[in-house]
Amino acid sequence: MPSHRVSYDLAEAPLASGEVAIIGAGPGDPGLLTLRALSLIEQADCLVYDRLVSREVLALASPRARRFYVGKASRCHALTQDETNALLVRLSHEGRRVVRLKGGDPYIFGRGGEEAEVLIEHGVGFRVVPGITSAQGCAAYGGFPLTHRDHAQSVTFVTGHFKGDGDLALNWASLAAPNQTTVFYMGLANAELIRGELQRHGLPASHPVALVERGTTPEQRRVITCLGELVETIESEGLKPPTLIVVGEVVRLADTLFQPVPEQAAFIEGAVLERVAL
């Protein structure tokens, strides 16, 4: 059978010398990249990428493209944000075609807005390409929706830690309202606080929770638990970042809706699927 390459014509100007493309690389599976993202990655002279950008996505760039790792983990940064900003400006002023790759979507907890402000300040031309954010990817690959007419009429994305590791002062009463889904990014370190505040503001201990570690990748693990057992489940399963915490009645649908697509089956079959009675 002859092989066929997908043809795409996006009717946009190619990446210009000195231009920066801030691109959402999605949650890990390279198949979730947009065609526009792929087109720009292929044009890049330089890739500036975060910790959550998968090796498979990086491999789509030209082998001649220079790669700059600027990944961040809690209290462990390859470069500070200011240094990353300065790197983008410097590469642009050198006339490089720069692709700034961010896991998920650059404008959802990706600091893309901060970097865009710096580029404007220094007169650097840029474009932004949205990506499938981790919440969307982890929910779809985890077998549950984020909204559902019977269970959740809204969804809220929440950061699990504040700038400078400050106190997690959130509107807990709003987050504990019924008939919604709340997704906590980067929340493992504050799981005890999240559990305590949500229960204090009215959610029962039996409220369902999904924990999805390294969602959409071959290392994905999905663990279903309940709010009252959140901390103990994280500890017993040894879950590590990046893990999303999804709180809401939609999680109850995971048992009935979970259907791995063929290309996922090989790695999802071996994933840990623990359940606590809800």
Side-chain angles (χ1 to χ4, degrees):
M1 180 180 296
S3 61
H4 296 280
R5 176 178 173 80
V6 176
S7 175
Y8 52 90
D9 181 2
L10 302 179
E12 66 173 352
L15 194 60
S17 174
E19 186 179 8
V20 176
I22 303 174
I23 293 177
D29 183 345
L32 298 180
L33 277 176
T34 65
L35 291 179
R36 175 157 288 129
L38 176 59
S39 173
L40 294 171
I41 289 170
E42 291 175 341
Q43 298 173 45
D45 297 321
C46 299
L47 297 177
V48 179
Y49 66 98
D50 283 349
R51 180 174 61 95
L52 300 182
V53 177
S54 69
R55 294 187 302 271
E56 293 81 5
V57 170
L58 292 173
L60 297 171
S62 166
R64 297 185 298 275
R66 297 176 64 192
R67 288 158 169 77
F68 298 86
Y69 174 67
V70 296
K72 298 176 180 64
S74 181
R75 301 181 180 88
C76 180
H77 296 176
L79 293 181
T80 67
Q81 187 61 54
D82 287 342
E83 290 170 333
T84 298
N85 296 342
L87 174 63
L88 294 174
V89 172
R90 175 173 67 81
L91 293 174
S92 169
H93 287 170
E94 291 174 358
R96 312 293 184 182
R97 295 176 298 173
V98 182
V99 163
R100 174 67 170 108
L101 279 175
K102 294 175 172 291
D105 180 273
Y107 277 3
I108 298 180
F109 304 129
R111 304 189 186 182
E114 297 174 39
E115 293 174 5
E117 289 177 315
V118 171
L119 295 177
I120 290 173
E121 180 183 344
H122 288 85
V124 174
F126 70 93
R127 66 184 81 176
V128 178
V129 179
I132 293 177
T133 189
S134 299
Q136 296 169 300
C138 289
Y141 281 45
F144 54 88
L146 290 175
T147 63
H148 189 287
R149 287 194 298 174
D150 294 332
H151 303 291
Q153 288 76 55
S154 66
V155 58
T156 303
F157 299 163
V158 185
T159 179
H161 71 82
F162 276 2
K163 186 175 181 179
D165 295 319
D167 293 336
L168 194 61
L170 299 170
N171 185 343
W172 295 105
S174 174
L175 296 178
N179 302 315
Q180 68 173 332
T181 305
T182 304
V183 182
F184 290 91
Y185 285 66
M186 304 164 287
L188 285 187
N190 281 310
E192 181 70 70
L193 175 65
I194 290 169
R195 173 177 68 178
E197 290 295 334
L198 290 179
Q199 288 192 249
R200 190 165 71 87
H201 286 84
L203 286 185
S206 61
H207 202 65
V209 177
L211 297 149
V212 185
E213 179 184 77
R214 304 195 67 83
T216 82
T217 75
E219 294 78 33
Q220 173 176 309
R221 287 202 294 162
R222 184 199 69 175
V223 181
I224 306 299
T225 185
C226 59
L227 191 59
E229 299 294 327
L230 175 60
V231 175
E232 292 76 12
T233 301
I234 291 169
E235 293 174 351
S236 65
E237 294 296 333
L239 293 166
K240 305 294 183 185
T243 296
L244 283 190
I245 301 173
V246 184
V247 181
E249 293 291 341
V250 291
V251 172
R252 297 188 190 275
L253 299 173
D255 284 335
T256 56
L257 298 185
F258 181 68
Q259 292 289 331
V261 296
E263 59 268 26
Q264 290 177 262
F267 69 79
I268 292 181
E269 184 178 347
V272 175
L273 302 178
E274 295 291 340
R275 295 183 177 83
V276 175
L278 300 178

